[in-house]
């Protein structure tokens, strides 16, 4: 059996590892921490703005500019990846690739996203509906007055508005704690008795026909927690993802990790991959910064899923020189100087489009040809998109990972 | 006094990583202690956050509830040495009121030496409820906490008395490090490790060896621990230069590889030499397999067993080598516990005031073990095995037991 090493445990790394293992490869996943997926919203954004609000992401993917990663990946690549993601975690991600949801955020804006968790779907609001945003007094990261206020004054994508009001409930996630994290509440909501206690407090405060908005803390392990609570209340309920620690992000991270382990992926985490050896155009091995002596891992193919600047995969020094920090790969987008301009409220900073260029198999290009025949790059390290502004990061990550994995499997 | 305590190399090293913290909270979500009790405010709060306010004084006494499992450092995507910072700060916090109990339970060699000659009596005493209640009241070791199983013969006694293997030794020579527990309590693990190594064709040298100081280190007794770990380095180096040192004591291996340096700031060539040469038993076997040098003529073992990778093994950044090696045994189904920690964290779970926290930490693991097998569970480190066995009721052994059996040695 051939071995493939995937470096990085975010969405791109986990999707690539799963896909490779499913295809029969022996997969070793190397990661510095446990991946940043749990810092996110637990949804899959494909394309939210181009720069107008996108309603059909697949249609919009087919129309991006030539330097955008989606131009290389193609709409079919995205469709395949979304189908695969839904198969990987069927009880956690649902959605139609051809229609974005517009889900309320923790500041009461409407965020376009493509796949979401079943517990969030009642937040895809229709004009004329009534929403009650329920805060937990002991959870400071969720302010119902702010959310309801903004939600009430927002025009829905299809026109029209919703009526929104805010209420608060005081319940202790655990005894003796006044200021609890979302995670402590999630553990509490995993327990049916706590859900009953909460429902008993909340039910009398609800008005007929109201849709209940809650922070996304309704259980971490118990996938029935949301539907059980909705049934107890007799109202539709939806979750709004919180800033980290994001329980919705944690659910997705845990589910994809568990799926990878079940598929036989071997994981070595907690150590940064810092070096490599190559023979001509082939990578032979990578080295982990294990202390006190580095460890070497050989493989037939490698997938670079190390992320962007925030993950340390790309770095800029004090001279303004940008580098890919593991393999020293050639970068595109560095010609747009200055990479950082001083108008911080102005146009997009050119630095955020910097990354590696890839071909249709996600091999990294230098002078128009693959730098290493057995190295693919996936996810945020790929140049050409400003993923947080256009909300494309998850789609690029998943689709590039599937394309890279499939092309490796064909070669092995 | 307190300020002096923080002025050592290890602390400067850890503190240098402080500003890399971006407050992402990943450590908070993975902390096994904060998940089960509000008594510990979490690794980010007492670690990188509180560290900024520490000027020789402790600002958050909930720090004492950190179990030093090291999970926070392991999962940090930015390389912040959270666990190390906390261990250091706690050593300073406790310096002027170190409990007698914490001094005593760090003395692992003393415990072994005292119990071995009177093993049956010691065993009975440790299983005797009234005696344990007295122990709990006097030295504050919880009456229900798992205790090391006293043995009538030490590993050293067995090793010296048995007929010396005649060889030949086609694979050369390795040094075996058993640790205190492997010398006095987990004697079978050490024997089986040596027998597997010899079966593979290695000559095994066992120099007289002392304690690595881990139990003292985790209780904040850095001076004693430093003395012990360097003495141990001398012991192990005396067996021969450049030889690979194999250990079946996962936590002591971690102490030699990185904890003595990173937590206590021990900066010594002898430690570096030993730390670079020492490998975990299962890591050693996996390395052999990767090199195509491990015989895999294993006899089938038709069993389903739960396996738990201990925190101090995970912290070594080598993954879970036991899982990979055990998968080579036909018909054996090994199920990864997926649990973060068993709760014991060395001596943490023995302490009267922390026993309930440690039990809550380990509960998902105990449930998983019971649901997977009533016969046998596997885990690489001693105190974790005692904790799992005591709390789940399932016999818990080192993975080498099944390798030994699959090679037809038992």
């Amino acid at each position: 059996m051939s071995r493939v090493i995937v470096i990085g445990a975010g969405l791109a790394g986990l999707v690539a590892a799963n896909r490779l293992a499913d295809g029969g490869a022996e997969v070793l996943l190397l990661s510095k921490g446990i991946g940043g997926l749990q810092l996110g919203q637990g949804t899959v954004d494909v394309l939210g703005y181009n720069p107008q609000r996108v309603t059909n992401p697949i249609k919009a993917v087919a129309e991006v500019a030539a330097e955008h990663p989606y131009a290389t990946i193609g709409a079919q690549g995205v469709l395949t990846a979304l189908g695969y993601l839904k198969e990987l975690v069927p009880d956690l991600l649902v959605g139609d690739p051809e229609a974005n949801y517009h889900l309320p955020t923790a500041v009461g804006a409407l965020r376009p996203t493509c796949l979401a968790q079943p517990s969030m779907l009642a937040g895809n609001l229709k004009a004329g509906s009534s929403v009650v945003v329920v805060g937990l007094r002991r959870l400071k990261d969720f302010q119902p007055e702010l959310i309801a206020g903004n939600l009430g004054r927002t025009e829905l994508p299809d026109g029209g508005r919703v009526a929104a009001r805010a209420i608060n409930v005081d319940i202790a996630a655990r005894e003796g704690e006044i200021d609890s994290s979302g995670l402590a509440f999630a553990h509490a909501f995993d327990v049916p008795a706590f859900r009953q206690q909460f429902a008993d407090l909340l039910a009398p405060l609800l008005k007929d026909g109201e849709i209940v908005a809650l922070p996304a803390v309704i259980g971490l392990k118990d996938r029935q927690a949301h539907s059980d609570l909705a049934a107890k209340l007799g109202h539709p309920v939806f979750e709004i993802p919180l800033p980290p620690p994001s329980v919705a992000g944690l659910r997705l991270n845990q589910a994809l990790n568990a799926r990878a382990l079940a598929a036989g992926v071997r994981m070595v985490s907690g150590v940064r991959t810092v070096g490599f050896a190559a023979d001509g155009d082939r990578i032979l091995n990578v080295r982990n910064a294990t202390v006190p002596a580095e460890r070497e891992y050989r493989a037939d193919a490698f997938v670079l899923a190390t992320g962007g600047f925030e993950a340390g995969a790309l770095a800029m020094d004090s001279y303004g020189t940008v580098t890919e920090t593991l393999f020293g790969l050639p970068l595109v987008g560095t010609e747009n100087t200055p990479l950082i301009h001083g108008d911080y409220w102005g146009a997009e900073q050119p630095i955020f489009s910097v990354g590696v260029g890839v071909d249709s198999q996600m091999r990294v290009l230098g002078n128009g040809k693959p730098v290493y025949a057995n190295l693919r790059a996936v996810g945020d390290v790929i140049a050409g998109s400003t993923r947080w502004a256009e909300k494309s990061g998850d789609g690029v990550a998943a689709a590039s990972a599937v394309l890279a994995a499939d092309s490796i499997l064909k070669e092995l | 006094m307190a300020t002096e305590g923080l002025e050592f190399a290890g602390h400067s090293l850890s503190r240098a990583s402080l500003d890399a913290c971006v407050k992402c909270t990943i450590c908070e979500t993975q902390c096994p202690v904060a998940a089960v009790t509000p008594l510990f405010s979490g690794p980010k709060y007492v670690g990188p956050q509180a560290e900024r306010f520490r000027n020789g004084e402790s600002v958050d006494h909930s720090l004492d509830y950190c179990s030093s499992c090291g999970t926070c450092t392991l999962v940090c995507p930015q390389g912040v040495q959270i666990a190390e910072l906390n261990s250091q700060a706690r050593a300073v916090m406790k310096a002027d009121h170190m409990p007698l109990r914490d001094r005593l339970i760090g003395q692992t060699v003393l415990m072994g030496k005292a119990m071995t000659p009177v093993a049956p009596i010691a065993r009975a005493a440790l299983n005797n409820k009234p005696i344990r209640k007295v122990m709990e009241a006097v030295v504050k070791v919880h009456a229900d906490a798992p205790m090391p199983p006293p043995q009538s013969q030490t590993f050293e006694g067995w090793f010296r008395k048995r007929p010396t293997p005649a060889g030949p030794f086609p694979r050369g020579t390795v040094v075996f490090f058993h640790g205190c527990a492997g010398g006095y309590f987990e004697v079978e693990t050490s024997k089986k490790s040596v027998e597997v190594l010899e079966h593979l064709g290695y000559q095994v040298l066992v120099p007289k060896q002392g304690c690595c100081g881990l139990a003292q280190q985790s209780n904040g007794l850095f001076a004693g621990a430093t003395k012990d770990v360097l003495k141990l380095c001398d012991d192990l180096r005396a067996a021969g230069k450049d030889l690979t040192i194999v250990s079946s004591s996962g936590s002591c291996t971690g102490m030699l590889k990185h904890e003595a340096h990173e937590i206590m700031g021990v900066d010594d060539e002898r430690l570096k030499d030993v730390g670079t040469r020492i490998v975990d038993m299962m890591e050693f076997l996996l390395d052999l397999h990767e090199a195509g040098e491990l015989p895999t003529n294993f006899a089938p073992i038709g069993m389903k067993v739960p396996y738990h990778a201990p925190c101090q093994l995970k912290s070594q950044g080598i993954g879970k080598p036991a899982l990979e090696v055990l998968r080579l045994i036909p018909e054996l189904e090994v199920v990864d516990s997926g649990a973060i920690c068993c709760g014991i964290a060395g001596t943490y779970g023995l302490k009267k005031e922390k026993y309930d926290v440690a039990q809550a930490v380990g509960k998902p693991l105990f449930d998983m073990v019971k649901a997977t097998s009533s016969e046998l569970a596997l885990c690489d480190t001693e105190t974790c095995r005692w904790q799992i066995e005591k709390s789940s009721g399932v016999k818990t052994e080192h993975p080498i037991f099944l390798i030994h059996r699959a090679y037809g040695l038992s």
Side-chain angles (χ1 to χ4, degrees), chain A residues 277-342:
Chain A
D279 181 13
D281 75 340
R282 292 193 76 79
I283 308 272
L284 300 176
N285 64 53
V286 291
R287 287 195 315 277
N288 261 12
T290 318
V291 286
E294 291 184 350
R295 283 189 75 84
E296 200 176 277
Y297 295 95
R298 278 175 296 152
D300 304 294
F302 297 82
V303 179
L304 181 70
T306 44
F309 285 97
E310 60 277 31
L314 299 171
M316 179 190 247
D317 68 14
S318 57
Y319 295 97
T321 307
V322 181
T323 47
E324 184 282 305
T325 53
L326 177 51
F327 294 104
L329 297 169
L331 297 173
V332 297
T334 48
E335 65 285 356
N336 300 318
T337 51
L339 285 171
I340 300 174
H341 58 67

Side-chain angles (χ1 to χ4, degrees), chain A residues 3 26 32-36 38-39 140 174-177 179 183 187 221 244-246 250 254 261 264-272 288 290-293 295-298 310-312, chain B residues 23-26 28-30 33-38 40 45 73-79 256-258 262 272 275-276 279 283 286-287 290-291 314 316-320 324 327 336 364:
Chain A
R3 175 187 274 184
E26 181 195 325
K32 194 170 56 161
I34 53 166
Q38 66 172 59
L39 302 176
K140 63 182 180 304
R174 47 189 184 184
E175 217 185 301
E177 210 170 35
D179 175 6
L183 193 61
H187 291 315
K221 288 204 181 91
S246 162
L250 258 167
Q254 290 182 352
L261 282 173
V265 172
R266 177 182 161 203
M267 299 191 185
V268 175
S269 58
V271 192
R272 192 177 171 122
N288 261 12
T290 318
V291 286
R295 283 189 75 84
E296 200 176 277
Y297 295 95
R298 278 175 296 152
E310 60 277 31
Chain B
K23 310 283 192 262
C24 73
T25 71
I26 284 178
E28 300 280 318
T29 67
Q30 302 300 307
V33 175
V36 299
T37 175
F40 180 51
Y45 292 105
T73 296
L74 183 74
V75 300
C76 176
Q78 304 292 345
L256 287 161
K257 278 181 174 176
H258 66 114
E262 290 180 336
K272 209 171 166 186
T276 316
V279 286
E283 178 190 12
L286 182 59
D287 281 352
E290 297 264 306
K314 287 185 274 196
Q316 293 169 36
I318 55 174
K320 301 173 180 175
E324 309 308 317
R327 278 184 185 140
D336 187 350

Side-chain angles (χ1 to χ4, degrees), chain B residues 310-325:
Chain B
C311 303
Q312 271 167 320
L313 185 90
K314 287 185 274 196
S315 291
Q316 293 169 36
I318 55 174
K320 301 173 180 175
L323 269 185
E324 309 308 317
V325 179

Side-chain angles (χ1 to χ4, degrees), chain B residues 78-126:
Chain B
Q78 304 292 345
V80 183
Q81 296 200 306
I82 311 158
E84 289 78 358
L85 280 168
N86 288 341
S87 293
Q88 292 156 2
R90 189 182 33 218
V92 173
M93 187 174 87
K94 285 170 67 181
D96 48 7
H97 59 278
M98 184 64 70
L100 171 68
R101 186 257 332 263
D102 293 8
R103 287 186 197 282
L104 280 177
I105 54 182
Q107 299 302 323
T108 40
V109 175
L110 196 68
M111 279 165 72
K113 277 192 177 155
M115 284 197 247
T116 303
V118 291
I121 303 167
R123 209 173 295 136
L126 292 176

Side-chain angles (χ1 to χ4, degrees), chain B residues 133-145:
Chain B
K133 279 286 174 196
V134 173
M135 247 175 93
E136 177 173 303
V138 178
V139 287
K140 300 190 171 50
V141 168
H142 196 281
D144 295 323

Side-chain angles (χ1 to χ4, degrees), chain B residues 174-222:
Chain B
V174 293
V175 178
F176 182 66
F177 166 58
H178 51 69
C180 311
Y184 294 105
F185 305 118
E186 291 283 308
V187 175
E188 271 309 305
T189 300
S190 304
K191 282 189 205 172
K192 288 185 161 55
S193 299
V194 167
E195 284 170 357
V196 166
L197 288 168
E198 287 174 348
H199 172 76
L200 293 172
Y202 291 97
Q203 180 186 30
V204 181
L205 303 181
V206 183
K208 200 164 169 50
Q209 49 194 268
C211 174
C212 72
L214 175 59
Q216 291 185 75
Q217 182 264 99
S218 70
N219 280 289
L221 298 154
F222 287 3

